[in-house]
Amino acid sequence: VGKEVGRVAKGPTVYDVAERAGVSIATVSFTFRQPTKVRESTRELVKAAARELGYIPSANARGLAGGRTGALGLLSLAHRPAGRDWSSDGALDPDDNCRSFPLYVDEVQRGVEAECWRHGYAVMVAGSDTSNSDVVLTDIAGRVDGLAIFSGTIDEAELHRVAARLPVVVLSESRPDDDVSRVSVDNAGGMRALIDHLVGTHGSHDLQFVGSVHDADRSARFKAFRAALRSAGLPVPRQPLATAADHQALVADLVSRNALPDALVCVTDEVALAVIDALQDAKVDVPGQVAVTGFDGLVAGRLVSPQLTTVRQPMAAMGAMVVRVLIDRIEHPDKPARSQLFPVQLTVRESCGCPPARFR
Amino acid sequence: VGKEVGRVAKGPTVYDVAERAGVSIATVSFTFRQPTKVRESTRELVKAAARELGYIPSANARGLAGGRTGALGLLSLAHRPAGRDWSSDGALDPDDNCRSFPLYVDEVQRGVEAECWRHGYAVMVAGSDTSNSDVVLTDIAGRVDGLAIFSGTIDEAELHRVAARLPVVVLSESRPDDDVSRVSVDNAGGMRALIDHLVGTHGSHDLQFVGSVHDADRSARFKAFRAALRSAGLPVPRQPLATAADHQALVADLVSRNALPDALVCVTDEVALAVIDALQDAKVDVPGQVAVTGFDGLVAGRLVSPQLTTVRQPMAAMGAMVVRVLIDRIEHPDKPARSQLFPVQLTVRESCGCPPARFR
DNA sequence: CTGAAAGCGCTAACAT
DNA sequence: ATGTTAGCGCTTTCAG
């Protein structure tokens, strides 16, 4: 007992299987890849030999020889804002509030995975950290047949370098690109609906936008925010508040200057959640003294009190679409890049001042 | 315009880079894998050439030549109970209640991913569907250096066949295995604490267990359930109720026979949530007429009313541990298989009859 | 229907 | 410090 424990063999190859079955390696390969080209009896022979030997085909060798890997990649975000360190014991938060999972990227990832599996692709997920993004990008790009990338993960130059080598789909508002497909949502429409609600239903007239607008989607939201205010005849902020992530400071400043607006329209749910925290720490009533809204539709938005009014994105559906576009481009390399736009849904809950909804 | 749109080049190789830089392919390889073996000036030369050419190393070729892929695999579950079909438009549930995400496997997966990235491994995720589990298993096993598998996904024979070829860690209660490492939680301890609470605090004396016990963890829970009742001097059910998944029928039966127990102890949160639904559909008050408890600590348990009393597992930490064990076995193939047990945490909320907790 | 043989792109001895 | 070369395991013509 325990003698061979932990031993990991090198593993049998096609040669071993071929020898055992008394056939050539080509026949072994055909048995698995093009079964019709092999007589049934031979096929069974080979399969039996493979089973007895515990044969597991090397995907690397197959990929190298065949020119494709059969896997799709997703470049996600490694760094999570409220992330904890799992390397220690399994201690649980006494009151885990799922602020860091699932986020936008996780919900999209789920859609990507489901759709890949439906199509028989494996999914390779890599996490980039802005610091090492190009290394990670290159690494994963070398492993897959097509790659999905979140907006803001990497810079445009890198993006195009990779897109020249394999199909790439970016999750962001479309831009005048020729070689990159994009999947995104109607940021402008969602923002418009949100502002209409705030202004029309709650009579807000002093609204501010919170959060940095460093990528296409975010700036589209800010732009739509301004446009909506303009057409409502309300004052239009030139800049978003708190481009940095220090929401405590933002709130402290607003309170001390007695400059709290009617509504704080946040660029994402994550920002909104943090802002609500800061507000409540400062004893400001939400939505009594100030309405706060988000954008995305994270699960966490329903776990807080007040529940977050937001604009929901069909994240899983977007992930699935990304995969379909990718596969389409893999199978038809000559087709032009294709971009898809999804609708969003204004979801009114408590943080704008509406009464609590019921659900179970 | 549009002329070369969508064209995917074959991609430059080490040969192209070597030629461009005026060096040999070995130098190119060394530049990336063992930089110290190449003079700085040469290195820069090679890097420049690579950049200009848009060189992306083939992970397949590297893996084949090097004998390792640099990726870890996770065999997850493809089929989701309340899963929807994302292939259509992006229509959102009017009242999405996250019953199908994130589940246990998703939270563990998150831990796996985070830890892999920390260690520079890519993660390959495959989804198995019991129907095709061995195909998927073999496929992913051929792609990675180590594999994490959820309990109940595949049968033991397959498991050992794969474990003979590469390090495998299974997320389940440990068993008398020699070549497979396991990571799991103290199912018995958690169940005991739960029953103690139900009996001690709420005075339950007629408890039933709900859900199938088809894997080691589940049956450990049932076993502990029985043991706890026994030592409390209460009647001990011989079998779980509703091994099948038809909770409507279970409730209908219980109600019609007027045989509702004090408490329904469910094998998982998923089952508990479904049972609560069925109970409420039948106008049975939870926890008024019957207490219901779960096991796992899913997010969804906090979104329902009444909030679910459950036993939480440190899922992300378990995922991280799986990766550490895997890497350890990859680096030290001679070490024996290692199993880890994590503590759980009784989390009392409303569905057992306790007053609502506050959190934000 | 089956076998022989030529790579796929890269790594790592071994030479120089 | 750099070049030569022999595979890694498999797919896939091309012959037989």
Side-chain angles (χ1 to χ4, degrees):
Chain A
V1 183
K3 215 45 166 311
E4 306 204 311
V5 164
R7 279 259 33 98
V8 174
K10 193 62 185 59
T13 72
V14 270
Y15 293 96
D16 302 312
V17 177
E19 184 176 349
R20 172 108 183 196
V23 299
S24 78
I25 63 166
T27 302
V28 175
S29 180
F30 284 146
T31 297
F32 294 108
R33 304 305 154 205
Q34 309 180 46
T36 57
K37 301 187 69 170
V38 180
R39 194 194 306 145
E40 166 116 28
S41 60
T42 320
R43 211 190 302 158
E44 290 310 321
L45 204 63
V46 173
K47 280 184 174 169
R51 201 172 316 116
E52 288 159 24
L53 259 32
Y55 171 63
I56 293 179
S58 156
N60 279 329
R62 171 143 31 99
L64 182 55
R68 31 175 277 106
T69 66
L72 260 29
L74 176 63
L75 184 56
S76 183
L77 282 44
H79 177 68
R80 296 310 174 74
R84 291 189 49 228
D85 181 17
W86 312 115
S87 57
S88 52
D89 57 1
L92 288 161
D93 260 330
D95 181 35
D96 183 318
N97 55 9
C98 34
R99 283 296 171 81
S100 64
F101 182 80
L103 298 186
Y104 170 80
V105 292
D106 303 299
E107 302 253 14
V108 172
Q109 178 176 337
R110 178 203 179 200
V112 167
E113 288 167 352
E115 192 70 9
C116 277
W117 298 340
R118 270 170 35 89
H119 293 277
Y121 277 89
V123 194
M124 180 127 257
V125 192
S128 125
D129 193 351
T130 55
S131 63
N132 61 358
S133 70
D134 34 340
V135 179
V136 175
L137 174 64
T138 302
D139 180 70
I140 191 175
R143 301 173 172 276
V144 299
D145 296 332
L147 186 57
I149 303 183
F150 284 102
S151 164
T153 320
I154 57 168
D155 71 57
E156 290 288 319
E158 287 288 301
L159 185 61
H160 286 90
R161 193 167 67 73
V162 173
R165 277 277 275 109
L166 49 83
V168 167
V169 177
V170 180
L171 281 141
S172 90
E173 286 244 331
S174 73
R175 314 176 16 142
D177 286 310
D178 31 1
D179 56 352
V180 177
S181 299
R182 313 243 175 191
V183 168
S184 58
V185 295
D186 183 12
N187 287 297
M191 183 54 75
R192 204 178 311 124
L194 184 59
I195 302 304
D196 285 353
H197 175 75
L198 250 17
V199 173
T201 302
H202 297 286
S204 308
H205 53 269
D206 179 16
L207 326 226
Q208 292 288 339
F209 191 93
V210 184
S212 100
V213 293
H214 61 263
D215 70 22
D217 289 76
R218 294 159 129 92
S219 69
R221 291 172 201 171
F222 182 54
K223 212 166 145 188
F225 167 80
R226 300 191 67 205
L229 291 187
R230 195 175 307 119
S231 72
L234 294 173
V236 181
R238 292 209 74 77
Q239 295 294 329
L241 258 33
T243 297
D246 190 351
H247 307 289
Q248 301 281 358
L250 168 68
V251 168
D253 177 55
L254 254 24
V255 169
S256 72
R257 288 177 24 228
N258 199 18
L260 231 39
D262 294 338
L264 289 169
V265 175
C266 302
V267 67
T268 63
D269 282 359
E270 284 184 74
V271 170
L273 261 15
V275 166
I276 289 178
D277 273 354
L279 249 10
Q280 292 180 337
D281 284 347
K283 308 295 182 204
V284 175
D285 181 44
V286 179
Q289 293 174 257
V290 53
V292 178
T293 63
F295 204 112
D296 278 350
L298 301 188
V299 172
R302 295 179 46 195
L303 282 167
V304 292
S305 177
Q307 286 191 27
L308 191 62
T309 289
T310 190
V311 174
R312 284 196 290 155
Q313 301 191 45
M315 298 175 269
M318 294 167 70
M321 174 59 80
V322 164
V323 171
R324 266 175 273 134
V325 172
L326 234 26
I327 292 177
D328 187 48
R329 298 209 71 204
I330 290 171
E331 291 174 353
H332 310 285
D334 298 315
K335 282 198 194 173
R338 168 155 71 104
S339 288
Q340 295 282 336
L341 199 71
F342 278 87
V344 293
Q345 186 171 80
L346 173 63
T347 302
V348 174
R349 293 196 282 241
E350 302 169 9
S351 71
C352 60
C354 281
R358 303 184 95 291
F359 61 90
R360 67 175 215 199
Chain B
V1 183
K3 216 45 165 314
E4 304 205 313
V5 164
R7 278 259 37 95
V8 174
K10 194 61 186 63
T13 71
V14 270
Y15 294 96
D16 302 312
V17 177
E19 185 177 348
R20 172 110 183 193
V23 300
S24 77
I25 61 165
T27 304
V28 175
S29 180
F30 284 147
T31 297
F32 293 108
R33 304 305 152 204
Q34 310 181 43
T36 56
K37 301 188 69 171
V38 179
R39 193 193 307 146
E40 166 116 27
S41 59
T42 320
R43 210 189 301 157
E44 290 310 320
L45 204 62
V46 173
K47 281 184 176 171
R51 203 172 314 118
E52 288 159 23
L53 259 32
Y55 171 65
I56 294 178
S58 157
N60 279 329
R62 171 145 31 102
L64 183 54
R68 32 177 274 102
T69 67
L72 259 31
L74 175 64
L75 185 55
S76 183
L77 281 44
H79 178 68
R80 295 310 173 72
R84 290 189 51 228
D85 180 17
W86 310 116
S87 56
S88 53
D89 57 0
L92 288 161
D93 261 331
D95 182 35
D96 184 319
N97 55 10
C98 32
R99 282 297 171 80
S100 64
F101 182 80
L103 299 185
Y104 171 79
V105 292
D106 303 299
E107 302 252 14
V108 173
Q109 179 175 336
R110 179 201 179 201
V112 167
E113 289 167 352
E115 192 71 9
C116 277
W117 298 340
R118 270 170 37 89
H119 293 275
Y121 277 88
V123 192
M124 179 127 259
V125 191
S128 126
D129 193 351
T130 55
S131 64
N132 61 359
S133 68
D134 34 340
V135 179
V136 175
L137 173 63
T138 302
D139 180 69
I140 192 175
R143 303 173 168 277
V144 299
D145 296 332
L147 187 57
I149 303 182
F150 283 103
S151 163
T153 320
I154 57 168
D155 71 57
E156 289 288 319
E158 287 289 301
L159 185 62
H160 287 88
R161 193 168 67 73
V162 172
R165 275 276 275 108
L166 59 102
V168 167
V169 177
V170 180
L171 281 142
S172 90
E173 286 245 330
S174 72
R175 312 172 21 138
D177 287 307
D178 30 3
D179 56 353
V180 177
S181 299
R182 313 241 175 196
V183 169
S184 59
V185 295
D186 182 13
N187 287 296
M191 184 53 75
R192 203 179 310 124
L194 184 59
I195 302 304
D196 284 353
H197 175 75
L198 250 18
V199 173
T201 303
H202 297 287
S204 308
H205 53 268
D206 178 15
L207 325 226
Q208 293 288 337
F209 191 92
V210 183
S212 102
V213 293
H214 61 263
D215 71 21
D217 289 77
R218 288 156 193 258
S219 70
R221 291 172 201 172
F222 181 55
K223 211 166 146 187
F225 167 82
R226 300 191 66 205
L229 290 187
R230 195 176 306 119
S231 71
L234 294 173
V236 181
R238 291 210 75 74
Q239 295 295 329
L241 260 31
T243 297
D246 191 352
H247 307 290
Q248 301 281 357
L250 168 67
V251 168
D253 178 56
L254 253 26
V255 169
S256 72
R257 286 174 28 225
N258 200 17
L260 230 40
D262 294 339
L264 289 170
V265 176
C266 302
V267 67
T268 63
D269 282 359
E270 283 184 75
V271 170
L273 260 15
V275 166
I276 290 178
D277 273 353
L279 249 11
Q280 292 180 337
D281 284 346
K283 308 295 181 203
V284 175
D285 181 44
V286 180
Q289 294 173 257
V290 53
V292 177
T293 63
F295 205 111
D296 278 350
L298 301 189
V299 172
R302 294 179 46 197
L303 281 167
V304 292
S305 174
Q307 285 191 28
L308 192 62
T309 289
T310 190
V311 174
R312 284 196 290 156
Q313 302 191 42
M315 298 176 268
M318 294 168 70
M321 174 58 82
V322 164
V323 171
R324 265 174 273 134
V325 172
L326 234 26
I327 291 176
D328 188 47
R329 296 209 72 205
I330 290 170
E331 291 175 352
H332 310 284
D334 298 314
K335 282 197 192 171
R338 166 155 74 103
S339 288
Q340 295 281 337
L341 199 72
F342 278 88
V344 293
Q345 185 173 80
L346 173 63
T347 302
V348 175
R349 292 197 282 243
E350 302 168 10
S351 71
C352 59
C354 282
R358 303 184 95 291
F359 62 89
R360 68 174 214 197

